[in-house]
Amino acid sequence: MTWITRAKNTWCPGCGNFAIEHALKDVLTDLAEEGRRAEDFVLVSGIGCHAKIADYLAVNSFYAIHGRTLPVAAGIKLANPGLTVIACAGDGDAYAEGLDHLVFAAKRNQDITVIIHDNRVYGLTTGQYTPTSYEGFRGRSTPGGIRERPINPVALMLASGATFVARTYTRKRDHLREVLTAAVLHRGFSFVDVLQVCATYNNLTEYYDDRVYLLEGHDTADLTGAMGKAREWDYSTDAPIALGIFYEEEAPANPWTAMGGIGKDERERTIRTILKEKT
């Protein structure tokens, strides 16, 4: 099967989105070769440069509005629990407008995978700062440099109860593919913050290349240790940047009853009961 569509690609040369697209293509290819059907995958994207991945990968897909990637993904999973639902979102998309949805999806441990294309800038709208932009970042809306400290999404997801929390980097292609595979296979909410450059408005290639390192000997079942590693770099300072799976655990997922798990007759009775109570 050809996973890359013929749609004209409009990402800038050097954009980190290419690496995520092809890594995700490799993950889907491997899973299909192991017996997964292509029609069982659903990709949901938000608004921003990253969102075009829905046009470029040949899987069932849905464009959500800004910040609403996860509610759509959660609804699809509730309607049909048999689907493998992957949500792609940008850092502005997920950490600004969509922050509450991200926290609650982690809290509920819904069985979906969210991949954050974290270039730490609004690229599509020509360079405004996002929640993960570093202190002092100069953008189109902040020419004097921002004075706010960035949020740490890895620490935030650990505190929110996510059962799979990881960070990787687009210039580590093998690592990117390995982490995305583990995230998709995880049963429960899996979160991956993917550091990537915006080649036009925030090219941090040298900064990342000089600081990233792979987690080794880290106990992914140790939440306290994971939080310590997450706080090692605060998305602003010059500290070493850990890449890998910070935390992983098996826990009950999907506290809400899946519609797909209810028979037609029972679903109709439930709907009639609700409507009767409302009238």
Side-chain angles (χ1 to χ4, degrees), residues 215-274:
L215 282 172
E216 293 182 353
H218 169 68
D219 181 4
T220 58
D222 179 3
L223 180 58
T224 301
M227 187 62 83
K229 283 295 180 183
R231 288 175 172 167
E232 200 171 62
W233 176 59
D234 66 359
Y235 284 70
S236 193
T237 60
D238 291 336
I241 303 172
L243 304 178
I245 300 172
F246 289 75
Y247 184 69
E248 184 174 16
E249 70 164 322
E250 292 291 333
N254 287 333
W256 302 100
T257 303
M259 293 178 63
I262 301 176
K264 178 182 176 183
D265 293 341
E266 184 179 352
R267 184 161 60 245
E268 288 185 356
R269 283 196 299 271
T270 301
I271 293 172
R272 290 181 185 281
T273 300
I274 293 172

Side-chain angles (χ1 to χ4, degrees), residues 49-261:
C49 291
H50 81 277
K52 299 174 186 176
I53 196 171
D55 289 333
Y56 304 151
L57 282 177
V59 295
N60 293 317
S61 59
F62 190 103
Y63 269 110
I65 60 176
H66 208 195
R68 303 298 183 265
T69 312
L70 285 171
V72 173
I76 292 171
K77 188 67 179 181
L78 283 171
N80 188 344
L83 296 174
T84 298
V85 182
I86 301 169
C88 285
D91 45 308
D93 195 30
Y95 302 150
E97 287 88 342
L99 185 60
D100 51 346
H101 298 300
L102 182 66
V103 168
F104 271 79
K107 175 174 167 290
R108 291 169 179 151
N109 195 31
Q110 293 176 301
D111 188 17
I112 53 182
T113 297
V114 59
I115 301 168
I116 308 297
H117 300 226
D118 192 357
N119 59 14
R120 308 169 68 193
V121 70
Y122 285 101
L124 189 67
T125 51
T126 68
Q128 295 78 26
Y129 80 99
T130 74
T132 52
S133 297
Y134 50 86
E135 193 172 2
F137 171 83
R138 297 176 185 273
R140 297 288 290 271
S141 61
T142 53
I146 60 172
R147 300 177 183 177
E148 305 167 18
R149 295 175 61 83
I151 68 168
N152 183 332
V154 175
L156 176 65
M157 285 295 92
L158 290 169
S160 300
T163 56
F164 182 103
V165 179
R167 181 169 59 209
T168 182
Y169 175 38
T170 52
R171 283 170 58 83
K172 298 284 187 184
R173 283 288 307 278
D174 290 343
H175 187 261
L176 174 62
R177 184 170 59 252
E178 291 170 7
V179 169
L180 293 187
T181 298
V184 172
L185 293 177
H186 176 74
R187 298 182 64 182
F189 183 78
S190 51
F191 166 86
V192 184
D193 187 55
V194 183
L195 299 177
Q196 68 171 87
V197 303
C198 173
T200 304
Y201 296 107
N202 195 24
N203 193 339
L204 297 173
T205 300
E206 291 186 8
Y207 177 86
Y208 289 144
D209 286 353
D210 290 345
R211 292 166 179 79
V212 296
Y213 74 96
L214 303 184
L215 282 172
E216 293 182 353
H218 169 68
D219 181 4
T220 58
D222 179 3
L223 180 58
T224 301
M227 187 62 83
K229 283 295 180 183
R231 288 175 172 167
E232 200 171 62
W233 176 59
D234 66 359
Y235 284 70
S236 193
T237 60
D238 291 336
I241 303 172
L243 304 178
I245 300 172
F246 289 75
Y247 184 69
E248 184 174 16
E249 70 164 322
E250 292 291 333
N254 287 333
W256 302 100
T257 303
M259 293 178 63

